[in-house]
């Protein structure tokens, strides 16, 4: 009996999850976006809530129904996503699954860009978006105790993700191989490598819900051994 896990191991903890793409406007009818269904992030938010955490899900545009029992903050752009994340602090756990557009159009028009016969196509001047994961990972009184990022890669997955963990300053990074032939982007399954400060472990291919459940188990174990 003593070995049976507590039903709500994350009770009393606050969690922040980013999910989905961001949409960066070009003009009122066009935008730049990354490919993202939001499924893995929504599954993680749901699993955290089931484990008793108080969850804020900051989501870019998706077609998914919001999980029960979470606070959903809908946003469009990276700048809005960062503001919504900052408003959700302080929290104990932050998990960034969002596919944030790396750049936005420097000056999005309020008027539709029209084609002019014979004229060359317009040139878009881009500026970098804020890095939300790096922002949340920065040391300081509001830094969540556990910050987890994702790294969607097509090449040298583990090496790229390991470097990304250090560059961002997050505690764990979850790498996945998103080459088109894996079917992971937009699919129901994921195959991940969990990279921490002490090493990496590869998980076999499983449903995104199972990845979320496994991750929540790992998080609960971490908080159980390092209270406060
Ligand atoms: N991320 C973020 N804000 C950004 C860019 C990325 O929060 N502006 C987060 C993602 O949610 C993910 C992690 O950072 O958890 C890695 O995103 P990724 O796009 O793989 O990393 P980048 O640093 O943008 O590098 P690149 O796209 O060049 O591989
Ligand atoms: Ca990126």
């Amino acid at each position: 009996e003593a070995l049976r896990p507590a039903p709500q191991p994350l009770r009393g903890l606050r969690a922040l999850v980013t999910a989905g793409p961001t949409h960066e406007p070009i003009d009122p009818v066009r935008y730049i976006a990354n490919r993202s269904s939001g499924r893995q992030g929504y599954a993680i938010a749901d699993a955290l809530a089931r484990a008793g955490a108080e969850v804020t899900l900051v989501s870019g545009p998706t077609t998914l129904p919001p999980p029960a029992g979470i606070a959903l903050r809908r946003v469009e752009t990276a700048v809005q996503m960062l503001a919504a994340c900052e408003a959700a602090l302080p929290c104990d756990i932050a998990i960034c699954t969002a596919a944030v557009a790396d750049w936005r159009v420097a000056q999005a028009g309020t008027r539709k860009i029209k084609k002019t016969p014979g004229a060359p196509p317009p040139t878009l001047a881009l500026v970098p978006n804020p890095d939300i994961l790096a922002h949340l990972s920065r040391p300081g009184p509001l830094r969540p105790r556990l910050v987890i990022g994702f790294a969607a890669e097509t090449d040298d997955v583990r090496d790229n993700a390991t470097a990304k963990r250090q560059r961002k300053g997050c505690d764990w990074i979850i790498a996945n191989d998103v080459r088109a032939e894996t079917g992971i982007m937009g699919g129901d399954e994921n195959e991940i490598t969990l990279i921490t400060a002490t090493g990496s472990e590869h998980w076999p291919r499983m449903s995104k819900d199972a990845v979320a459940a496994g991750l929540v188990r790992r998080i609960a174990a971490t908080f159980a051994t390092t209270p406060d």
Side-chain angles (χ1 to χ4, degrees):
E1 286 301 284
L3 290 176
R4 185 171 294 169
Q8 294 217 302
L10 300 183
R11 184 171 285 279
L13 296 177
R14 288 166 54 87
L16 165 65
V17 179
T18 71
T22 65
H23 285 184
E24 311 295 334
I26 296 170
D27 69 11
V29 300
R30 305 181 178 93
Y31 60 81
I32 296 172
N34 278 17
R35 226 183 259 289
S36 170
S37 67
R39 282 188 200 185
Q40 186 63 79
Y42 276 56
I44 290 169
D46 187 46
L48 289 166
R50 286 173 195 277
E54 194 184 313
V55 180
T56 301
L57 173 59
V58 179
S59 177
T62 72
T63 56
L64 300 172
I70 59 125
L72 178 65
R73 305 275 179 260
R74 288 187 195 277
V75 298
E76 294 247 326
T77 68
V79 168
Q80 291 167 356
M81 185 172 275
L82 175 61
C85 288
E86 286 182 326
L89 298 178
C91 68
D92 303 283
I93 305 153
I95 307 182
C96 293
T97 75
V100 181
D102 291 315
W103 306 280
R104 67 179 180 275
V105 176
Q107 298 207 309
T110 55
R111 316 292 289 269
K112 183 179 177 186
I113 303 168
K114 297 294 289 180
K115 286 177 294 181
T116 311
T123 303
L124 297 177
L126 303 179
V127 294
N129 264 333
D131 189 321
I132 296 161
L133 175 61
H135 218 87
L136 293 171
S137 299
R138 208 170 292 162
L142 285 179
R143 188 193 191 280
R145 278 193 278 160
L146 183 61
V147 182
I148 305 173
F150 270 72
E153 305 285 349
T154 56
D155 303 283
D156 304 323
V157 177
R158 193 156 57 95
D159 288 351
N160 274 329
T162 301
K164 201 166 271 183
R165 192 188 79 83
Q166 294 196 319
R167 198 162 67 239
K168 304 273 190 175
C170 58
D171 301 299
W172 300 354
I173 207 151
I174 293 164
N176 55 6
D177 184 340
V178 294
R179 279 174 302 173
E181 61 269 26
T182 64
I184 282 172
M185 296 290 300
D188 284 322
E189 293 187 327
N190 206 350
E191 184 176 333
I192 65 140
T193 302
L194 174 63
I195 297 165
T196 69
T198 52
S200 73
E201 61 187 67
H202 183 85
W203 294 10
R205 198 176 172 106
M206 61 183 84
S207 73
K208 289 182 178 176
D209 286 337
V211 169
L215 194 59
V216 165
R217 262 196 306 279
R218 291 294 298 257
I219 292 168
T222 299
F223 277 84
T225 54
T226 54
D228 293 307

